[in-house]
C-alpha cells in the first residue's frame, strides 16, 4: 500500500480536512453535504485509489452515508472496498457492516456468513450498538443450522 504522505503531504492533509468536514455534516444528518465531501475526497485521491488508510477510510465513510440513506446496493460496494484494507484480525466492524447491508438487501446467506465471522471474533459484543434485529436474525439462523 502506498503512502500518499510520502508523495504529496499537502494533498493528504487537504483530503483529510475535506473528509473530516464531511463527518461533521454526517453527524448532523446532512447526508447530501456529507456525501459531497466524501466524493470530493475520493476524487482527489490519485488515480489508482490504493493509498494507505485514506482509501479505506473514505470508502467506509461513503458506506455509512449510503447505508444511513438506505441506498444499500451502493453501500455494499463501498463496504467491500473499505474491507479490502482491513488488516486487524480482531476488528468486527467491517463484517458487521457487510452483514447488515446484506441483510437489508435480503442476501441472507451472505449476511449470516458475515455476522458469523463477527460473532466468532467478538461473540454478542460484536452486535452491541447495532439494531437488535441483526443479532436476532443471526442467532435464529445459527440455531436452525445446528438443529
Amino acid at each position: 500500500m502506498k503512502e500518499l504522505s510520502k508523495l504529496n503531504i499537502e494533498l493528504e492533509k487537504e483530503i483529510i480536512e475535506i473528509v473530516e468536514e464531511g463527518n461533521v455534516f454526517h453527524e448532523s444528518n446532512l447526508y447530501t453535504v456529507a456525501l459531497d465531501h466524501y466524493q470530493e475526497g475520493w476524487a482527489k485521491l490519485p488515480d489508482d485509489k490504493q493509498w494507505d488508510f485514506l482509501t479505506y477510510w473514505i470508502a467506509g465513510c461513503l458506506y455509512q452515508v449510503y447505508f444511513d440513506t438506505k441506498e444499500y446496493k451502493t453501500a455494499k460496494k463501498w463496504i467491500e472496498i473499505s474491507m479490502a484494507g482491513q488488516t486487524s484480525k480482531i476488528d468486527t466492524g467491517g463484517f458487521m457492516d457487510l452483514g447488515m447491508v446484506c441483510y437489508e438487501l435480503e442476501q441472507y446467506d451472505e449476511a449470516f456468513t458475515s455476522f458469523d465471522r463477527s460473532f466468532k471474533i467478538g461473540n454478542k459484543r460484536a452486535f452491541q450498538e447495532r439494531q437488535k434485529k441483526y443479532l436476532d436474525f443471526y442467532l435464529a439462523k445459527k440455531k436452525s443450522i445446528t438443529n
Side-chain angles (χ1 to χ4, degrees):
M1 192 61 45
K2 300 177 286 188
E3 294 181 43
L4 186 55
S5 61
K6 291 183 178 178
L7 178 69
N8 188 335
I9 187 71
E10 293 305 316
L11 178 59
E12 181 181 78
K13 287 179 183 178
E14 179 183 357
I15 292 170
I16 290 170
E17 184 176 313
I18 291 166
V19 175
E20 286 178 344
E21 288 174 4
N23 288 342
V24 171
F25 291 115
H26 191 184
E27 289 171 9
S28 299
N29 298 327
L30 297 170
Y31 300 121
T32 303
V33 181
L35 184 59
D36 289 344
H37 280 73
Y38 298 151
Q39 289 173 334
E40 181 182 353
W42 183 262
K44 287 187 176 290
L45 286 173
D47 287 338
D48 68 359
K49 309 293 188 204
Q50 298 299 310
W51 297 95
D52 53 40
F53 76 96
L54 288 173
T55 296
Y56 309 111
W57 177 43
I58 298 170
C61 292
L62 285 160
Y63 156 78
Q64 194 61 59
V65 81
Y66 283 116
F67 187 87
D68 290 347
T69 58
K70 300 180 178 4
E71 295 179 56
Y72 299 123
K73 285 183 182 178
T74 305
K76 185 177 181 187
K77 168 190 153 185
W78 287 108
I79 194 58
E80 288 172 338
I81 292 169
S82 181
M83 287 181 67
Q86 184 171 325
T87 57
S88 172
K89 300 218 184 290
I90 60 169
D91 183 5
T92 62
F95 296 119
M96 286 302 302
D97 290 340
L98 182 59
M100 291 181 340
V101 79
C102 289
Y103 176 92
E104 299 302 338
L105 288 168
E106 300 180 1
Q107 297 170 347
Y108 297 122
D109 290 340
E110 191 174 352
F112 176 80
T113 299
S114 292
F115 289 148
D116 193 50
R117 290 184 78 175
S118 291
F119 193 86
K120 286 176 180 172
I121 296 167
N123 210 314
K124 287 183 181 179
R125 288 184 315 276
F127 289 81
Q128 287 179 341
E129 299 181 26
R130 311 288 179 150
Q131 290 183 34
K132 188 176 179 298
K133 67 181 178 180
Y134 301 122
L135 178 60
D136 291 346
F137 160 78
Y138 172 74
L139 292 174
K141 182 145 174 110
K142 185 173 180 152
K143 184 177 180 180
S144 74
I145 291 171
T146 57
N147 286 339

